[in-house]
Amino acid sequence: MKKAILYLVMFFAIQMIVTFAVMGVWYLVKGEVPTNQGLFQVICAILYGLATILVFWQWSWTPVSGNYLKSRPWGVFFWVAAAAWGFVLPSEWIQEQMPELPNYLTDTFSGIVNTPGGYLALAIIVPVAEEFVFRGAILRVLLKTFGAQHSLKNAWMAIALSALLFSLTHLNPAQMPHAFIVGLLLGWFYWRTGSILPGVVYHVFNNTVSYILMRLYPNLEELTLADFFGGSEANVLKAVGFSLLIFLPALYQLHIRMKR
């Protein structure tokens, strides 16, 4: 458990160090604090993502090998992507049934999405870095701490705790419910395969969908699912049901294909 806390602290420490370093360099070069917040956030996200991957890799906090790829898990990757696609609407529908939660990062995300390099930061580097930390390091040690090899219940306790930490570290209430549910899925992927790669595929696909939607709909936070389906709640439920016909079979296929 102490190692899991250490990894979490290091995750935040790297972000803070990189952010202050970029701010310092920005001031030295331009003689002012960052005024282009989108560009500033993109630079910080790329650099602290890469720094996180490097630190966790070099210090062996997240073991890296090519063994899982040698098993040719292309079917797993396909169904992981299908699960990510199929869960977009159900997740949003669940969120809409809950009390509205404050979104403190709307302007931040908007700035990143509309800045060159935003996709690289939001949908590639940050997801990979988070999988290194939350599945490859934190969940890995939690599974050992909880004795997951001896008990299915203990495995899910470790997965649930890692998902909770994953959701809380987003520091944005509006994101936390979705992040927790996705954290459970990503934890299950890691527990069943011993690799962060299925989680990376899901995470990248999930963030890519978010990026595309934010690019297409600048006022996305103000829209509901009904706005996309002619104002009809019946159409929303049909779309959610159709999505579940993708999501649930994908989970079944993953259950079959992912071997512990």
Side-chain angles (χ1 to χ4, degrees), residues 5 24-25 54 76 84 107 131-132 169 200 215 239 245 249 259:
I5 295 173
V25 172
L54 181 62
V76 170
D107 293 339
E131 289 310 303
F132 260 73
T169 52
V200 167
R215 288 285 292 179
L245 292 178
K259 308 224 183 251

Side-chain angles (χ1 to χ4, degrees), residues 155-227:
W156 276 105
M157 287 175 60
I159 292 170
L161 179 55
S162 70
L164 179 61
L165 293 174
F166 178 63
S167 67
L168 293 176
T169 52
H170 282 74
L171 303 177
N172 189 27
Q175 289 180 275
M176 289 178 183
H178 176 74
F180 177 73
I181 297 173
V182 169
L184 293 176
L185 281 173
L186 299 176
W188 180 56
F189 297 160
Y190 180 80
W191 175 55
R192 289 293 297 270
T193 65
S195 171
I196 66 170
L197 290 178
V200 167
V201 173
Y202 188 105
H203 209 151
V204 167
F205 195 96
N206 177 81
N207 286 25
T208 296
V209 171
S210 297
Y211 176 87
I212 292 172
L213 289 174
M214 285 188 286
R215 288 285 292 179
L216 292 176
Y217 303 97
N219 62 333
L220 183 64
E221 295 299 326
E222 302 172 10
L223 301 177
T224 66
L225 287 178
D227 294 322

Side-chain angles (χ1 to χ4, degrees), residues 68-84 188-189 193 197-199 201-202 246 249-259:
Y68 186 66
L69 279 178
K70 291 177 182 177
S71 69
R72 299 176 180 270
W74 319 130
V76 170
F77 293 162
F78 172 82
W79 288 108
V80 163
W188 180 56
F189 297 160
T193 65
L197 290 178
V201 173
Y202 188 105
I246 299 173
L251 290 188
Y252 177 71
Q253 287 293 327
L254 290 170
H255 171 70
I256 294 173
R257 295 168 183 269
M258 294 191 306
K259 308 224 183 251

Side-chain angles (χ1 to χ4, degrees), residues 35-140:
T35 53
N36 187 336
Q37 285 298 311
L39 180 60
F40 175 70
Q41 294 290 345
V42 166
I43 293 172
C44 287
I46 290 174
L47 291 181
Y48 78 63
L50 292 174
T52 298
I53 293 168
L54 181 62
V55 168
F56 277 72
W57 185 356
Q58 290 299 312
W59 290 10
S60 298
W61 291 346
T62 300
V64 177
S65 76
N67 292 336
Y68 186 66
L69 279 178
K70 291 177 182 177
S71 69
R72 299 176 180 270
W74 319 130
V76 170
F77 293 162
F78 172 82
W79 288 108
V80 163
W85 177 256
F87 193 57
V88 171
L89 288 183
S91 175
E92 183 59 31
W93 183 83
I94 293 171
Q95 187 108 340
E96 289 186 3
Q97 310 314 305
M98 300 174 61
E100 186 173 355
L101 297 171
N103 191 342
Y104 300 132
L105 299 180
T106 300
D107 293 339
T108 299
F109 285 132
S110 178
I112 292 174
V113 166
N114 292 292
T115 300
Y119 177 75
L120 177 65
L122 186 67
I124 304 295
I125 293 178
V126 170
V128 173
E130 288 181 345
E131 289 310 303
F132 260 73
V133 175
F134 288 96
R135 260 58 66 178
I138 291 176
L139 180 55
R140 179 176 59 82

